[in-house]
Amino acid sequence: MASAPHLRRSDSAQGEFSPLKRFVVAKKKISDVFEQLLNYVKETSEFVEETCGNKALENIASQDQKLEIQAYADKLAVIKEVLARRHMKVAFFGRTSNGKSTVVNAMLRDRVLPSGIGHTTNCFLSVEGTDDDKAYLKTEGSDEEKSIKTVNQLAHALHMDESLDAGCLVRVFWPKTKCALLRDDLVLVDSPGTDVTTQLDSWIDKFCLDADVFVLVANSESTLMNTEKHFFHKVNERLSKPNIFILNNRWDASANEPEYMEDVRKQHTDRCVNFLVEELKVVDRDQAPNRIFFVSAKEVLNSRMQRAQGMPESGGALAEGFHERMKEFQCFERRFEECISQSAVKTKFEQHTIRAKLITEKVKSIMDAINIEAAEKRVAALEDREYQMDRLEFVKNQLNLLIDDIKKKIKAISEDVESKVSFAMGEEICRLHVIVDEFHSDFHPSPHVLKIYKSELLAHVEEGMGKNLAFRCSDAVHASVQSSQRYMMDSMLPLLPSAAQSQVHMLVPSRKFDLSYDLNCATICSDFQENIEFRFSLGWTVLVHRFLGSVNAQRALKLVDQNFQGSRPALPMAITPSSGPPSITAPPNNETAVMSQEDLMVAMATNVASLTSRTSMSVLVVGGVVWKTVGWRLIALSGSLYGLLYLYERLTWTTKAKERTLKRQFVDYATDKLQLIVSFTSANCSHQVQQEMAATFARLCQQVGQTQKELEAEIRQLTATIDQLETVQSHSKSLRHKATNLEKQLEEFTNLYLTPQQ
């Protein structure tokens, strides 16, 4: 909305420019400055918050700085709202019926407030301008706009509202188009008489603390009363040297006694001067007379209303001396406008201006601190980036050298472990019988028990050989591995960051490294087949095996067996337990039909007859030769000894003998099998050591690789941080320049409106 044009008042000594305009212009100026300052502080708040929230820019801006600037923004927002509501305020006080409302109406040049006979102000009334075309009022505690068209309607509304008491405020909004005085942000407050209540302190707290000027409307037909003095003493206690004007109203009554007029005037003036100077001490004695006026508000109001209606302002029944009283009222208005304009600008804007300067200075100092901190951090980041780049190059070169050295170390240790395990396993195989003899379990030649027995025997051999190999090799291997791991760690330590160096021991397992000797006896001896049938030591089969050897004996016995079977009738073969080694057991013939009982008996009789006939012939031939050679006594003795030996062996063929035979057969069998896996097992152990050391080295290399990645990431981060720090420096400098510009504007406002003009 365009600002209101300057108003010309013919009765104003200021011509067409009212002193009140100074406040309006100053308010607009300071409001604009605060608008810029608020936007500036919000911008700095966002900048500091962004900087504070950026982890890469840690300690550039602190949380305290962020909160401090946000607090400044909140304060400025409140001050801006306060400035928008700021206005010049004049409060009228006095006893009941002294003409306070009439004085207000005279200054407004219209009957705005109820006054005159039958109208007594029963609450506080404030009159302020509104841009609306219609007048309305608002009562305390309500935002309802109650329309009023005439003074009588206002008076009726005030008297009909029973909730209003002397301590309530009713705000009257009067169109600015109808009253020029209200266009200049001036609020006039009318009050009940100071003699109607004792709650003066609450009045002062509620209505007087923000008043720029107080007008004491006294009755010139009487002297100043104690109630009036008492009220202003309390005001003076709460405010520092308040601006007080004293209007001795109803001075037109002095026209009836012109001979006493000067004496009465002097008497009133002296009392008022003493009250202002001696009692209140708000002005000095030279200035006090300029605050005391003798007027007739009713005359001024009537005159101005007649003039507004186009009638002569001096028309009607006016007492003698009207023009002098009119001029004095105009003089009061002029001095009041000058006083309230200067006072309001100072009281309403000075502290806010000082506060704005302090805030600007504080924010500027924060920007300086951020700029300095960012510059220092940037220099440190540049140096740190250079150092990290040098370290990355060193790590890469050193790692390449260490890889070749560690590979050779791992290979040498692996070969040494393979040799140790191979030698130890050979010795353990040689003493396998000791491990087998140490095995004790329930033994019985039945197939089911034998199966369990062999299973437990295999487990015992697996466990025993494993423990023995571990006892012979593990400590030495562990010491060798541990020594190599320490060598790796010591070599890699300079390549790790300081944080990882203190935790490098965690990269090596704290457990003792044990080789796993996985002999897998159950698998390699799975085809072991024991032969625990009775074998006479001088029997035909045993002798053949003893003299011809195992392989030749099997061939010879197989040939004899084939000849023997060829001489028998071609009958289906019956499945019988094999008396030879397990490798020559005949497979079952699935095509052989089940023989009947008669066929079986015939086959057995035929075989026995054939065997008897051949044996008899052989015995007769051999016996005849021996008889002729050694004699029958020696033959009888030899036969007796042979029979006794057979009987002894047969009787001693117990379960224990069978168990010993099985263990002996197992030792012979397992020895051959274990010899086959010596190289495999030693190679497996060597591979375990190689894996363990390679895993440790891989973890160290991984940590070094992680170090490289961290260094590269840190270099990238430092580069990004340097760029961000440069941005922060640039932005903080820009914000500092804005603060300097705002300081200049505030200083200009201070010099123009707040510094006393010469």
Side-chain angles (χ1 to χ4, degrees):
M1 178 182 294
S3 61
H6 295 164
L7 301 177
R8 182 179 181 82
R9 305 186 210 147
S10 60
D11 53 352
S12 174
Q14 299 298 319
E16 61 182 33
F17 182 78
S18 169
L20 301 180
K21 289 295 181 182
R22 176 183 175 83
F23 177 85
V24 177
V25 175
K27 177 180 176 180
K28 185 178 185 306
K29 177 68 175 176
I30 195 65
S31 297
D32 291 341
V33 174
F34 266 87
E35 179 73 25
Q36 297 178 47
L37 182 56
L38 178 59
N39 293 334
Y40 165 74
V41 173
K42 286 182 178 179
E43 183 181 357
T44 56
S45 177
E46 293 174 359
F47 166 67
V48 173
E49 184 174 5
E50 180 182 355
T51 305
C52 187
N54 192 337
K55 294 182 179 180
L57 303 178
E58 189 176 4
N59 298 328
I60 298 297
S62 66
Q63 192 72 17
D64 292 339
Q65 291 173 333
K66 168 188 168 183
L67 296 176
E68 183 179 358
I69 294 181
Q70 287 178 347
Y72 290 151
D74 295 339
K75 288 180 181 178
L76 289 173
V78 173
I79 293 174
K80 183 173 174 291
E81 293 181 1
V82 171
L83 287 176
R85 297 193 302 268
R86 281 299 190 199
H87 45 249
M88 294 173 286
K89 182 176 179 180
V90 54
F92 295 83
F93 288 93
R95 287 183 297 133
T96 304
S97 299
N98 275 7
K100 298 183 295 295
S101 300
T102 305
V103 172
V104 173
N105 288 337
M107 294 179 69
L108 296 176
R109 291 175 168 77
D110 197 356
R111 293 186 185 277
V112 177
L113 301 180
S115 62
I117 299 175
H119 294 292
T120 301
T121 303
N122 61 341
C123 64
F124 278 84
L125 294 173
S126 71
V127 183
E128 53 191 293
T130 177
D131 294 326
D132 294 339
D133 295 332
K134 296 180 180 180
Y136 60 90
L137 64 85
K138 289 183 179 180
T139 57
E140 189 172 351
S142 173
D143 291 331
E144 181 185 358
E145 297 181 358
K146 299 179 181 179
S147 177
I148 51 173
K149 295 182 179 180
T150 63
V151 178
N152 290 332
Q153 286 184 350
L154 174 59
H156 180 73
L158 295 177
H159 284 281
M160 291 302 294
D161 194 339
E162 297 180 356
S163 64
L164 298 177
D165 57 23
C168 292
L169 174 67
V170 175
R171 300 174 64 191
V172 178
F173 294 87
W174 202 257
K176 293 180 180 179
T177 55
K178 295 183 179 181
C179 184
L181 192 64
L182 298 179
R183 297 176 189 175
D184 296 330
D185 283 337
L186 179 64
V187 176
L188 300 92
V189 179
D190 191 10
S191 64
T194 56
D195 52 342
V196 301
T197 183
T198 58
Q199 299 178 352
L200 299 180
D201 290 332
S202 64
W203 280 17
I204 295 171
D205 291 338
K206 195 172 182 180
F207 306 110
C208 300
L209 295 182
D210 61 340
D212 300 295
V213 171
F214 293 88
V215 177
L216 170 58
V217 180
N219 189 348
S220 62
E221 296 179 292
S222 64
T223 187
L224 287 177
M225 306 299 291
N226 288 332
T227 56
E228 297 167 324
K229 289 184 177 183
H230 180 61
F231 174 78
F232 278 96
H233 274 294
K234 286 185 172 293
V235 170
N236 193 41
E237 291 174 1
R238 306 298 294 275
L239 300 175
S240 175
K241 291 187 177 182
N243 296 307
I244 301 175
F245 287 82
I246 300 178
L247 291 184
N248 291 281
N249 195 23
R250 299 181 180 176
W251 185 240
D252 55 326
S254 64
N256 297 327
E257 299 178 350
E259 64 276 11
Y260 301 110
M261 181 184 300
E262 292 302 324
D263 293 337
V264 173
R265 183 184 181 101
K266 185 177 184 302
Q267 186 180 20
H268 282 315
T269 300
D270 291 341
R271 289 176 179 174
C272 291
V273 167
N274 288 333
F275 176 62
L276 294 176
V277 176
E278 301 296 337
E279 297 184 35
L280 298 182
K281 299 179 181 180
V282 294
V283 292
D284 57 30
R285 190 168 294 276
D286 294 334
Q287 295 177 343
N290 295 329
R291 299 290 182 92
I292 303 169
F293 301 91
F294 294 83
V295 298
S296 174
K298 185 176 180 180
E299 284 183 341
V300 175
L301 175 61
N302 292 333
S303 173
R304 288 179 172 177
M305 290 189 66
Q306 287 179 355
R307 180 180 176 183
Q309 295 173 2
M311 299 172 60
E313 62 179 10
S314 58
L318 296 175
E320 184 179 354
F322 162 71
H323 291 289
E324 287 75 11
R325 291 190 293 275
M326 172 65 82
K327 288 180 180 179
E328 190 150 352
F329 192 87
Q330 292 174 351
C331 181
F332 156 70
E333 288 182 314
R334 181 176 67 253
R335 290 178 181 174
F336 157 75
E337 290 179 2
E338 292 174 350
C339 177
I340 197 172
S341 177
Q342 294 177 0
S343 175
V345 169
K346 189 174 182 63
T347 57
K348 297 296 192 296
F349 303 142
E350 185 175 38
Q351 291 303 318
H352 294 319
T353 303
I354 294 173
R355 180 72 62 82
K357 288 181 178 180
L358 291 175
I359 291 175
T360 306
E361 181 64 28
K362 288 285 187 181
V363 174
K364 188 172 73 170
S365 65
I366 291 175
M367 292 300 102
D368 288 339
I370 291 176
N371 184 38
I372 294 172
E373 190 68 26
E376 293 177 353
K377 293 284 185 181
R378 179 174 173 272
V379 172
L382 287 170
E383 295 176 353
D384 193 12
R385 182 175 66 175
E386 189 68 23
Y387 169 76
Q388 298 297 348
M389 293 175 71
D390 293 342
R391 176 166 174 76
L392 177 61
E393 189 66 23
F394 167 77
V395 169
K396 288 181 178 179
N397 295 334
Q398 195 67 18
L399 181 61
N400 292 331
L401 296 175
L402 284 175
I403 288 176
D404 295 336
D405 183 32
I406 299 297
K407 282 183 178 180
K408 294 177 181 177
K409 186 91 173 169
I410 293 175
K411 183 179 179 181
I413 294 177
S414 300
E415 292 175 351
D416 180 60
V417 169
E418 183 174 2
S419 175
K420 288 180 180 178
V421 172
S422 178
F423 177 76
M425 191 171 180
E427 290 187 347
E428 286 300 318
I429 291 174
C430 292
R431 59 187 301 274
L432 179 61
H433 63 281
V434 178
I435 298 175
V436 174
D437 290 342
E438 291 174 352
F439 176 73
H440 301 286
S441 182
D442 295 335
F443 179 84
H444 192 272
S446 64
H448 178 69
V449 176
L450 276 177
K451 182 178 180 182
I452 298 175
Y453 183 87
K454 289 191 290 184
S455 175
E456 293 177 353
L457 176 60
L458 290 171
H460 173 75
V461 171
E462 178 90 20
E463 181 181 1
M465 286 196 69
K467 287 183 178 179
N468 292 341
L469 288 174
F471 177 77
R472 296 166 69 96
C473 301
S474 292
D475 289 341
V477 171
H478 175 68
S480 179
V481 170
Q482 202 171 38
S483 174
S484 300
Q485 288 174 336
R486 282 197 299 269
Y487 174 77
M488 293 180 193
M489 288 189 295
D490 294 341
S491 301
M492 290 288 196
L493 198 62
L495 306 183
L496 302 178
S498 56
Q501 289 178 3
S502 60
Q503 300 177 353
V504 69
H505 62 280
M506 299 177 64
L507 298 175
V508 179
S510 58
R511 59 176 176 80
K512 179 181 178 182
F513 173 70
D514 290 324
L515 287 172
S516 176
Y517 306 95
D518 190 9
L519 302 176
N520 204 7
C521 291
T523 301
I524 64 176
C525 296
S526 61
D527 57 348
F528 166 69
Q529 187 66 40
E530 74 285 348
N531 186 2
I532 57 175
E533 293 182 358
F534 175 71
R535 294 290 179 183
F536 182 42
S537 60
L538 297 178
W540 166 253
T541 304
V542 175
L543 292 174
V544 170
H545 274 272
R546 184 174 299 171
F547 292 109
L548 297 181
S550 178
V551 177
N552 294 330
Q554 288 181 6
R555 292 177 181 175
L557 291 174
K558 186 182 295 184
L559 181 60
V560 171
D561 187 57
Q562 289 176 353
N563 294 332
F564 174 70
Q565 291 181 3
S567 64
R568 291 185 297 173
L571 293 175
M573 184 181 297
I575 302 176
T576 60
S578 173
S579 61
S583 61
I584 61 173
T585 303
N589 188 356
N590 295 329
E591 298 177 358
T592 305
V594 180
M595 297 184 296
S596 63
Q597 186 174 2
E598 293 79 3
D599 295 337
L600 180 61
M601 293 301 293
V602 171
M604 292 176 64
T606 304
N607 290 338
V608 170
S610 175
L611 179 62
T612 302
S613 62
R614 288 187 293 173
T615 304
S616 298
M617 293 300 295
S618 300
V619 170
L620 289 175
V621 173
V622 175
V625 174
V626 173
W627 183 280
K628 292 294 184 180
T629 305
V630 298
W632 67 271
R633 286 186 179 83
L634 185 57
I635 293 173
L637 180 61
S638 299
S640 299
L641 292 174
Y642 186 84
L644 288 173
L645 180 61
Y646 176 84
L647 180 62
Y648 171 77
E649 290 187 3
R650 187 66 179 176
L651 291 175
T652 58
W653 186 249
T654 61
T655 302
K656 285 292 183 182
K658 293 178 181 180
E659 183 179 8
R660 287 194 297 272
T661 301
L662 185 144
K663 286 184 177 180
R664 185 177 65 256
Q665 293 175 2
F666 177 78
V667 169
D668 295 339
Y669 180 81
T671 298
D672 294 337
K673 292 291 186 179
L674 290 173
Q675 289 289 355
L676 299 176
I677 64 168
V678 171
S679 60
F680 173 77
T681 304
S682 58
N684 181 38
C685 293
S686 173
H687 183 65
Q688 292 179 47
V689 172
Q690 186 176 357
Q691 277 190 324
E692 177 70 15
M693 296 183 64
T696 302
F697 184 63
R699 285 192 292 270
L700 290 169
C701 287
Q702 184 180 9
Q703 188 63 38
V704 174
Q706 186 65 30
T707 302
Q708 292 181 2
K709 292 181 181 179
E710 291 176 359
L711 287 172
E712 292 170 352
E714 190 168 356
I715 291 171
R716 291 193 298 271
Q717 182 63 37
L718 286 170
T719 301
T721 301
I722 291 169
D723 295 338
Q724 291 177 350
L725 289 171
E726 291 176 351
T727 303
V728 168
Q729 280 187 272
S730 175
H731 199 173
S732 60
K733 286 181 181 178
S734 174
L735 291 172
R736 189 188 187 284
H737 294 328
K738 288 184 179 180
T740 303
N741 182 50
L742 287 169
E743 284 181 332
K744 291 180 179 179
Q745 294 187 49
L746 289 169
E747 191 62 31
E748 290 176 0
F749 179 83
T750 301
N751 295 334
L752 187 60
Y753 294 101
L754 302 180
T755 303
Q757 302 294 323
Q758 295 298 329

